[in-house]
Amino acid sequence: MNKTTNGWFSGMLGVLIFSGSLPATRLAVMDFHPLFLTVCRAAIAGVLAGVLLLIFKQQRPIKSDIVPLLVIALCVVVGFPLLTALALQYVTASHAIIYVGLLPLATAIFGVWRGGERPRPIFWILSVLGSSLVVGFALTNGAASSLIGDGLMLASIIACGYGYAEGARLSRRLGGWQVISWALILSLPVMALLSLYFKPDSWSSTSVTSLLSLAYVSLFSMLIGFVFWYRGLALGGIAAVGQLQLLQPFFGLVLSALLLHETIGWPIFIVNMGVVLCVALARRFAAKH
């Protein structure tokens, strides 16, 4: 398996893991305040990341890595989880997933800026087309909107796209799982203190479903998913592999239907075929490394 194919395979695993994030967050905020959910998931993942770094005796980042790692922590450890958790108080998970269709485009734009990539013009056409298919499908699928919820989701996509691009750039030198682990470690002291401050007054009314959802977003969404995702972006290219996120809304909608009983229609499969075609063509016309 060559470097590019390996990157796409790792990226797809990351997308599959991230697809459960919004449905799990939707379940978790039924019992947990969004602020507590955000800081607690980061604190749990930070402890696990610290254990991994100790076990594998990883070298500490150099001084010039600190600012990029802080930016990554601000964008993907705090920004995206908090903004989406707040948004999911106003919109359904299936509606929030609409905006994930814009994430590949945002990641590609920031990849050009921060990663120095130069995709061909046709790549941008395919990227916009794929994003339009996803968003167009979701908007015509009857999802209710909210000005506050939509604004929060748009802000989360901008933060996440920048965090992905910055993390992928740094992963080329440090490694994918090391980048997210060090970002989690840098944020751990603050996240741990805030977890204690925002913790629920009582856990007696917390459902098992909410606890399992907290475990998922802490372990998989906050750590394991990034291990595969940053590795995929670093090996296969930020702009190219980032297009795999066009498939995430469809995986997420299926999970929303199964877990949250939110209704989706059969046209999703037809639109998905168009999205898969856009992703395949985008890979061909993306920048070479």
Side-chain angles (χ1 to χ4, degrees):
M1 187 181 294
N2 61 39
K3 177 181 176 181
T4 302
T5 302
N6 204 339
W8 279 73
F9 180 73
S10 294
M12 178 57 76
L13 288 177
V15 166
L16 289 171
I17 292 171
F18 289 150
S19 296
S21 297
L22 288 180
T25 300
R26 176 69 172 174
L27 289 169
V29 295
M30 292 180 179
D31 288 328
F32 296 122
H33 190 280
L35 285 173
F36 172 75
L37 179 62
T38 300
V39 297
C40 186
R41 66 189 276 184
I44 294 172
V47 171
L48 294 174
V51 172
L52 288 175
L53 290 170
L54 286 174
I55 290 176
F56 293 101
K57 299 178 180 178
Q58 296 299 299
Q59 186 177 3
R60 294 182 181 181
I62 60 178
K63 186 177 179 179
S64 61
D65 295 332
I66 300 303
V67 172
L69 286 171
L70 288 174
V71 170
I72 294 166
L74 182 63
C75 289
V76 301
V77 176
V78 179
F80 183 77
L82 177 58
L83 291 167
T84 53
L86 291 171
L88 287 168
Q89 292 186 311
Y90 300 93
V91 297
T92 63
S94 58
H95 181 75
I97 288 169
I98 294 172
Y99 287 91
V100 178
L102 298 175
L103 190 50
L105 188 57
T107 303
I109 291 171
F110 285 119
V112 169
W113 176 37
R114 297 298 297 154
E117 299 187 355
R118 294 294 181 267
R120 304 175 191 176
I122 193 172
F123 169 86
W124 295 108
I125 296 174
L126 292 167
S127 181
V128 171
L129 177 59
S131 297
S132 299
L133 283 172
V134 174
V135 176
F137 166 77
L139 288 175
T140 58
N141 202 38
S145 62
S146 161
L147 183 60
I148 297 176
D150 290 347
L152 289 167
M153 281 306 304
L154 184 59
S156 75
I157 293 304
I158 294 172
C160 195
Y162 184 46
Y164 282 171
E166 193 69 29
R169 187 180 67 86
L170 202 57
S171 294
R172 293 169 183 167
R173 190 174 61 79
L174 290 180
W177 74 269
Q178 292 92 335
V179 167
I180 189 60
S181 294
W182 285 117
L184 287 165
I185 289 296
L186 287 176
S187 63
L188 180 57
V190 175
M191 296 297 103
L193 289 175
L194 290 177
S195 295
L196 294 175
Y197 182 80
F198 288 114
K199 72 180 189 327
D201 295 330
S202 174
W203 293 83
S204 59
S205 60
T206 304
S207 66
V208 174
T209 299
S210 293
L211 290 173
L212 290 175
S213 298
L214 172 61
Y216 184 90
V217 296
S218 301
L219 181 60
F220 290 93
S221 303
M222 201 81 266
L223 182 59
I224 296 177
F226 279 102
V227 172
F228 294 106
W229 184 241
Y230 277 152
R231 183 173 184 271
L233 291 175
L235 291 177
I238 299 171
V241 175
Q243 297 307 298
L244 287 171
Q245 290 172 307
L246 287 171
L247 302 175
Q248 186 173 327
F250 296 98
F251 297 142
L253 284 170
V254 171
L255 288 173
S256 294
L258 293 175
L259 300 176
L260 305 175
H261 308 294
E262 296 180 1
T263 304
I264 59 173
W266 61 266
I268 185 175
F269 299 105
I270 296 177
V271 178
N272 195 30
M273 290 176 63
V275 171
V276 170
L277 180 61
C278 287
V279 171
L281 291 173
R283 175 184 177 181
R284 179 179 178 183
F285 293 109
K288 303 298 182 180
H289 294 273

